[in-house]
Amino acid sequence: MAHEIHLKNNKYRQWVKAGLGLGYLKEGLAPFCDDIGRQQHNDIINKIQQTKTPQPNIPCGACQITTLQPDHVRVSKGICPLKQDKCNCCFPSNKRPCPNNVCGAIYDSIIQDHASMPPAPFWKNSDVQQWSTEPWEVCKCFINAPGYKDKTSTDDTDCTGLLHVIINNKYFHSHIGCNVTGPNNLFLKVRQYRNMIFHSSSMELEESEANIYLDDMIAVLQDNKELVHQPAAQQAVLKLQDLKQKDFVITTECSEEILKQIKDEMTKMREFTENAATKVEYEELKNKFIELERQLAQEREEQTRKYTELEAVITEQKQEMKKLKVEDSPQQKQLQYEKAKSGCRTQLIEHYRSDILKVSAIPLQPDEENYYFSDIYIRPTITNKIEKNRGSLRKKK
């Protein structure tokens, strides 16, 4: 009954409609992500097989992320050549190379393909022991959010996880037409929409806002490089377009499905918070928040100071404008005279340049083209003869 009452509220219906759109978006992206993820995995494995000596033994299944030694070596203490923070290469004492000569190379490939700077793979989402055989376990390292450890395929990964992979994985960028790294790209905007929908305390949306969300989801699935040719993506586009129709029916089952997704996410986040953080990590996180608050306070103080200075300048300019408005007419006439004098001077300069300073190269035989006097003038040589005693002469140029 509670859902039925809610469904009579148009803003609530629009919120449910946007939530359903996220489900259709996931349906359209999943086959694409699965296909590109497999291509990336094949390329990584083929490269390892062609370049590694001795030859890698696949599958591996023997490594752990906490003890895996990468193929690359640190530059110096604490300095990773791939620019990753807290990379395994920086703590070599308790790290071991992959016994099958494969996992260290995959570790390097994941870092090199990560689009953030510095690279920040989310290792906790992935099972290293399946890297050599399961493409999606590699892709999950690009989901920079907790809660995807048990997601074994694109089918059981939500649209947020799929969007993370597309945005954070440089290998996927070559299969996307729009600029995925730009701050206002569609994929990033739609991922932000998802957070706004699921984290809405009112569970309400204006119809115009919901339609903007759906239009951008459609635009993502119609990306002009590959997605526009994917049957699953275009089938999802049709479903999203149906959602925008005035007569589309929103049922209690639709509403309950969205609420269930939100509840699952809250449970996932709570479990991660309770189990993932050690005391050291908690203290580090706490210190980061304190530092962030300090920086924000400084920023606010600086912005306030700049705003005050700007107000003073504006006030001063307003006063000057008032003075100009009450200026006597003689001052205005003087200003007009100075302006006319400057214009006359400019006209004279142009006249001299075009008509006075140009002459014919041969005055007795004028040609059609004149030249600047300075270009053809040759300074004459003048000799001064100075007579000295006894009739001698001294010449001086």
Side-chain angles (χ1 to χ4, degrees):
M1 180 63 69
H3 287 309
E4 292 176 358
I5 295 174
H6 275 306
L7 287 173
K8 293 179 181 179
N9 179 354
N10 184 56
K11 291 184 180 180
Y12 178 76
R13 289 167 53 82
Q14 299 304 320
W15 178 78
V16 174
K17 184 172 76 173
L20 289 174
L22 293 171
Y24 296 150
L25 175 64
K26 181 254 181 184
E27 291 178 12
L29 289 176
F32 169 76
C33 289
D34 183 72
D35 183 34
I36 305 304
R38 292 183 184 280
Q39 292 181 35
Q40 180 181 27
H41 189 264
N42 287 337
D43 288 352
I44 291 173
I45 297 301
N46 289 338
K47 182 179 178 181
I48 292 172
Q49 290 175 329
Q50 293 170 10
T51 59
K52 294 283 285 186
T53 303
Q55 286 294 308
N57 183 20
I58 299 173
C60 174
C63 296
Q64 299 290 337
I65 191 62
T66 54
T67 57
L68 177 62
Q69 177 179 306
D71 274 15
H72 70 273
V73 180
R74 65 181 182 179
V75 176
S76 59
K77 187 175 181 180
I79 305 298
C80 170
L82 302 183
K83 311 298 183 184
Q84 190 199 9
D85 290 338
K86 298 182 180 179
C87 180
N88 279 13
C89 75
C90 297
F91 311 96
S93 59
N94 65 336
K95 302 299 185 291
R96 300 187 301 272
C98 173
N100 292 298
N101 205 26
V102 60
C103 295
I106 298 178
Y107 182 100
D108 285 11
S109 294
I110 292 171
I111 296 176
Q112 290 165 347
D113 280 336
H114 205 286
S116 67
M117 186 52 64
F122 203 95
W123 305 116
K124 293 180 181 179
N125 276 331
S126 182
D127 182 0
V128 182
Q129 295 182 354
Q130 299 185 59
W131 276 1
S132 59
T133 56
E134 297 297 330
W136 196 239
E137 289 301 323
V138 172
C139 286
K140 286 194 297 180
C141 295
F142 298 91
I143 305 178
N144 287 11
Y148 293 88
K149 179 75 173 178
D150 62 340
K151 308 303 180 185
T152 59
S153 68
T154 57
D155 289 336
D156 58 5
T157 303
D158 61 16
C159 71
T160 300
L162 301 179
L163 289 168
H164 268 276
V165 172
I166 294 172
I167 294 168
N168 295 327
N169 191 337
K170 288 190 286 188
Y171 189 91
F172 276 69
H173 295 180
S174 61
H175 297 269
I176 299 293
C178 77
N179 181 11
V180 187
T181 60
N184 296 318
N185 73 79
L186 276 174
F187 290 85
L188 184 60
K189 285 173 64 177
V190 170
R191 194 181 76 186
Q192 292 168 344
Y193 294 161
R194 188 267 182 192
N195 293 337
M196 288 186 282
I197 294 168
F198 273 30
H199 299 164
S200 171
S201 57
S202 65
M203 295 189 297
E204 292 182 348
L205 272 179
E206 296 289 346
E207 183 174 0
S208 59
E209 191 175 9
N211 286 336
I212 289 174
Y213 292 176
L214 295 175
D215 285 338
D216 284 349
M217 293 177 198
I218 291 171
V220 162
L221 294 173
Q222 290 184 328
D223 183 81
N224 61 10
K225 191 158 189 179
E226 293 185 25
L227 275 166
V228 72
H229 305 297
Q230 290 261 344
Q234 299 317 300
Q235 186 64 34
V237 167
L238 296 177
K239 293 181 179 180
L240 287 166
Q241 290 172 339
D242 286 342
L243 275 179
K244 295 181 62 180
Q245 302 303 315
K246 294 286 186 181
D247 57 351
F248 189 86
V249 177
I250 302 292
T251 65
T252 55
E253 288 78 9
C254 296
S255 176
E256 288 171 353
E257 176 61 26
I258 305 304
L259 294 173
K260 179 180 179 299
Q261 293 181 37
I262 295 175
K263 182 179 178 181
D264 291 345
E265 180 175 353
M266 292 174 64
T267 302
K268 179 174 61 178
M269 290 299 297
R270 184 174 63 251
E271 291 175 352
F272 177 80
T273 304
E274 292 173 350
N275 300 328
T278 64
K279 184 176 180 179
V280 174
E281 290 171 336
Y282 170 78
E283 290 298 329
E284 289 181 355
L285 187 60
K286 179 181 176 181
N287 292 334
K288 287 181 180 179
F289 274 119
I290 293 173
E291 176 63 18
L292 181 59
E293 288 179 347
R294 184 188 65 79
Q295 292 177 358
L296 289 174
Q298 288 181 346
E299 183 68 21
R300 284 194 294 268
E301 182 179 346
E302 178 67 14
Q303 292 298 327
T304 301
R305 183 185 65 79
K306 291 181 177 179
Y307 181 74
T308 303
E309 292 177 353
L310 181 60
E311 278 190 325
V313 172
I314 293 174
T315 301
E316 184 179 347
Q317 289 179 341
K318 286 181 178 179
Q319 293 173 350
E320 290 295 329
M321 291 296 293
K322 287 181 180 179
K323 289 181 181 180
L324 289 174
K325 288 181 180 180
V326 298
E327 288 286 343
D328 294 332
S329 58
Q331 291 179 329
Q332 294 293 331
K333 290 180 180 180
Q334 180 66 23
L335 181 62
Q336 292 174 1
Y337 167 73
E338 293 294 337
K339 185 177 180 181
K341 186 170 69 172
S342 176
C344 180
R345 182 168 59 247
T346 301
Q347 290 179 0
L348 282 172
I349 291 172
E350 292 176 353
H351 171 62
Y352 269 80
R353 285 177 174 169
S354 61
D355 301 326
I356 306 301
L357 298 181
K358 287 187 175 182
V359 297
S360 173
I362 307 175
L364 296 180
Q365 296 180 356
D367 52 17
E368 295 181 357
E369 184 175 2
N370 290 332
Y371 303 88
Y372 282 108
F373 183 74
S374 59
D375 292 339
I376 61 174
Y377 174 74
I378 301 176
R379 183 180 295 275
T381 301
I382 301 175
T383 304
N384 184 22
K385 294 183 179 181
I386 302 174
E387 186 174 353
K388 290 186 176 182
N389 295 335
R390 302 177 183 177
S392 64
L393 292 175
R394 182 170 64 87
K395 295 181 181 182
K396 179 181 180 183
K397 290 187 180 180

